[in-house]
Amino acid sequence: MTVPRLRFAPSPTGFLHVGGARTALFNWLYARRTGGVFVLRIEDTDVERSSWDKVEGILEGLRWLGLDWDEGPEVGGPHGPYFQSQRLDRYRAMAERLVAEGHAYYCYCNADAARVADAALAGGEEEGDAPRGESWTYDRRCLRLSPEDVAVREAAKQPRAIRYNVPEGATTFHDLVHGAITFDNANIEDFVALRSDGHPTYHLSVVVDDIDMAISHVVRGDDHISNTPKQVMLYRAFGAIVPAFAHVPLILGADKRRLSKRHGATSVMEYERQGFVPEAMVNFLALLGWSPGSGNQELFGRDELIGAFSLEGISSSNAVFNPEKLEWFSAQHIASTSAEDLARRIEPLLRSAGVWRDEYAESQRESLRRLIELLRPRAKRITEFVEKGRFFLADAVEFDPDAVQKHLGTPAALALVRAVRECCATVDPFTAAALEPALRDLAAAHGVKPGALIHPTRVAVTGQAASPGIFEVLELLGRERVLARLDACLRGL
Ligand code: GLU
């Protein structure tokens, strides 16, 4: 019994972006669903644009999302190396094999010079104009070279590339998302498999690796559909089994244009910095182009996703990236994460904000847990626990001048704060349940609505016009800190 083998094959020319993460996730989910193997392969043949930093960035993004790989960088495996830059000899050998077996030929044309010559022949272009690369196809002149012509070029040590000799006919492959897709080979030029500098093109390296790594399913972006017939020809030329393909739809911005920086953050780790929880990101990405079929369940934990995932559930129409939806998922996942777990995640944020206290340590973090419970109902990002928890976390109150002006700017407001201070000194126990009726009675005794007393009190103890429920805030702060803050306020801000 062979198990499915899937791979994520990023080119480390940038950080892990949303589209790549979604591709990785679909591969990972299918591998986990089927008891298969998830391979991570780094396609770093473009040495100028690839860097170790970027590889690290990609690994970091995958780790944050919890997409662990069974073979690949750091973990190794029986089909390594998993960096294309370490497999160049293998690509050269396989390209030579194509020539030896009559599927490819040496090409001595300097590709750029050939293009210019061709454009000149076609007329219409001024000398020096860049030819329109898309419409240019190689005229196969090197396929027609006589053995003598070849001998002359070899003797002169002319650099040579290896071009695949595209056969006549058509190439069809079955795509698990789009069904059968057929390309007329007449529209496919004899493409370069190995460049004259000895570097493979993407088509060659990806096929050689997918064969060597026994990949059974290729799940990747729609933008690779047009590459697939060339790769299918290579599989066949090598006598290898063609893997199953599933091309997943593009991710678009709200304006229906391909997702890019103009739509906001595209780097996955940027969402981490913005305080999104990875469970939400995974849930959100999973539903970009996939749906569970029956029912309208949207909230999925990791294991539920694994249980529900299928390649058949991938949609053939493009997915739209909706940041508000991501926030909704984040709020939902924060709501279902235990306070203890949230406390663990928030700790580094508290430390870097300089508001960490030893009393928040695991063994005695009751007060931190209570703060989390208080803020959690409205939290969309974990960074909010620090931002909105400042009234509790920091010693000094940071006053919002507008809030002070609006709610503490009159002698009447200060008189009410003084009354609240007296009440807070005596209420017992100092709990929300006891504070609420006491302060409401106090308002009635002064002939004002509760808000007239609550708003100034809130600004006095939190510095802000908005906070979670004031009675809970007071309880959490505790009598001592509340009295100190009210006193400070009465002494003048
Ligand atoms: N390195 C390619 C990319 O990042 C992988 C393409 C593929 O999955 O075949 O687009």
Side-chain angles (χ1 to χ4, degrees):
M1 257 286 283
T2 56
V3 297
R5 291 180 54 88
L6 292 100
R7 72 351 181 240
F8 176 51
S11 306
T13 54
F15 295 112
L16 182 65
H17 56 84
V18 170
R22 196 265 318 250
T23 299
L25 174 63
F26 284 7
N27 279 283
W28 180 86
L29 283 172
Y30 191 68
R32 294 293 172 260
R33 163 86 183 148
T34 56
V37 176
F38 178 54
V39 178
L40 175 61
R41 180 174 73 228
I42 304 297
E43 306 215 318
D44 56 349
T45 50
D46 184 346
V47 276
E48 265 158 38
R49 295 175 62 217
S50 304
S51 74
W52 182 247
D53 274 5
K54 289 169 183 161
V55 173
E56 292 257 295
I58 290 169
L59 303 189
E60 186 189 22
L62 293 173
R63 274 194 220 101
W64 180 64
L65 293 170
L67 307 184
D68 55 331
W69 52 99
D70 307 307
E71 294 177 23
E74 295 179 347
V75 299
H79 301 272
Y82 295 92
F83 287 83
Q84 289 194 327
S85 58
Q86 296 169 25
R87 303 173 63 83
L88 297 176
D89 287 345
R90 176 74 181 145
Y91 308 134
R92 284 171 201 145
M94 290 293 268
E96 292 296 345
R97 190 181 134 191
L98 288 174
V99 177
E101 295 178 359
H103 297 293
Y105 55 92
Y106 294 131
C107 174
Y108 302 89
C109 298
N110 172 322
D112 294 332
R115 276 199 179 91
V116 173
D118 213 61
L121 278 179
E125 302 218 48
E126 298 284 333
E127 197 185 11
D129 259 4
R132 281 157 296 174
E134 291 303 323
S135 61
W136 183 86
T137 53
Y138 181 60
D139 65 4
R140 293 187 148 171
R141 68 186 67 179
C142 285
L143 183 60
R144 297 188 296 267
L145 291 179
S146 66
E148 295 74 33
D149 291 336
V150 171
V152 170
R153 286 167 172 73
E154 286 295 313
K157 292 207 167 20
Q158 267 197 30
R160 62 180 193 205
I162 291 180
R163 270 188 198 275
Y164 184 75
N165 182 2
V166 173
E168 285 183 5
T171 302
T172 298
F173 63 91
H174 184 80
D175 190 284
L176 294 172
V177 177
H178 301 274
I181 301 182
T182 299
F183 286 83
D184 183 348
N185 290 3
N187 298 326
I188 302 175
E189 76 166 327
D190 284 358
F191 58 90
V192 172
L194 193 75
R195 295 184 221 280
S196 58
D197 65 2
H199 272 77
T201 58
Y202 155 65
H203 300 300
L204 178 69
S205 55
V206 85
V207 169
V208 169
D209 287 350
D210 285 342
I211 294 172
D212 287 353
M213 296 177 187
I215 297 304
S216 60
H217 293 70
V218 171
V219 181
R220 61 185 177 187
D222 254 2
D223 46 337
H224 286 294
I225 286 184
S226 61
N227 292 326
T228 308
K230 295 178 186 167
Q231 296 171 12
V232 168
M233 287 186 231
L234 288 175
Y235 283 104
R236 293 189 180 140
F238 287 126
I241 298 171
V242 180
F245 290 99
H247 285 98
V248 304
L250 286 180
I251 302 176
L252 307 179
D255 57 1
K256 301 283 153 70
R257 292 167 69 181
R258 193 175 176 159
L259 192 68
S260 72
K261 290 217 176 65
R262 129 181 73 101
H263 299 105
T266 53
S267 152
V268 165
M269 292 312 283
E270 183 55 30
Y271 288 93
E272 200 241 311
R273 280 184 283 278
Q274 290 181 8
F276 290 97
V277 293
E279 291 88 341
M281 195 71 192
V282 163
N283 191 162
F284 173 71
L285 289 174
L287 294 176
L288 282 180
W290 170 81
S291 66
S294 61
N296 44 15
Q297 181 180 354
E298 287 194 296
L299 268 184
F300 288 88
R302 182 176 299 269
D303 291 339
E304 288 176 296
L305 278 176
I306 294 173
F309 191 77
S310 73
L311 296 176
E312 291 70 39
I314 297 176
S315 152
S316 58
S317 49
N318 291 330
V320 174
F321 186 94
N322 176 351
E324 286 95 61
K325 192 80 196 183
L326 174 58
E327 283 213 316
W328 181 81
F329 277 119
S330 191
Q332 301 299 316
H333 283 277
I334 285 174
S336 62
T337 304
S338 72
E340 184 49 41
D341 189 348
L342 287 171
R344 225 171 282 126
R345 300 183 198 210
I346 292 163
E347 177 172 339
L349 304 180
L350 297 182
R351 288 187 187 277
S352 67
V355 292
W356 173 259
R357 292 167 201 257
D358 289 342
E359 71 207 52
Y360 303 152
E362 206 148 339
S363 55
Q364 42 165 356
R365 62 170 46 142
E366 189 45 33
S367 63
L368 181 60
R369 259 195 294 255
R370 282 164 57 206
L371 174 71
I372 289 170
E373 292 297 5
L374 189 59
L375 297 174
R376 182 223 288 275
R378 275 186 246 168
K380 295 184 180 128
R381 309 177 183 207
I382 59 168
T383 40
E384 287 174 25
F385 289 99
V386 185
E387 291 152 14
K388 300 198 172 149
R390 276 205 175 267
F391 75 86
F392 174 79
L393 299 163
D395 286 328
V397 180
E398 289 164 29
F399 287 97
D400 167 6
D402 291 343
V404 171
Q405 164 81 22
K406 184 160 177 212
H407 297 295
L408 287 173
T410 62
L414 288 173
L416 288 170
V417 170
R418 188 160 295 115
V420 169
R421 195 250 175 243
E422 296 321 316
C423 178
C424 284
T426 53
V427 168
D428 197 48
F430 198 78
T431 59
L435 282 159
E436 175 159 7
L439 291 175
R440 287 190 190 281
D441 288 350
L442 187 65
H446 280 77
V448 295
K449 290 195 185 127
L453 166 155
I454 286 171
H455 295 311
T457 303
R458 171 177 285 127
V459 178
V461 298
T462 71
Q464 310 296 314
S467 78
I470 186 66
F471 309 112
E472 286 75 16
V473 164
L474 295 173
E475 176 182 337
L476 181 65
L477 281 168
R479 194 192 308 269
E480 211 178 304
R481 289 176 88 188
V482 167
L483 294 183
R485 288 183 183 189
L486 293 173
D487 285 338
C489 171
L490 290 167
R491 279 197 307 271
L493 297 172

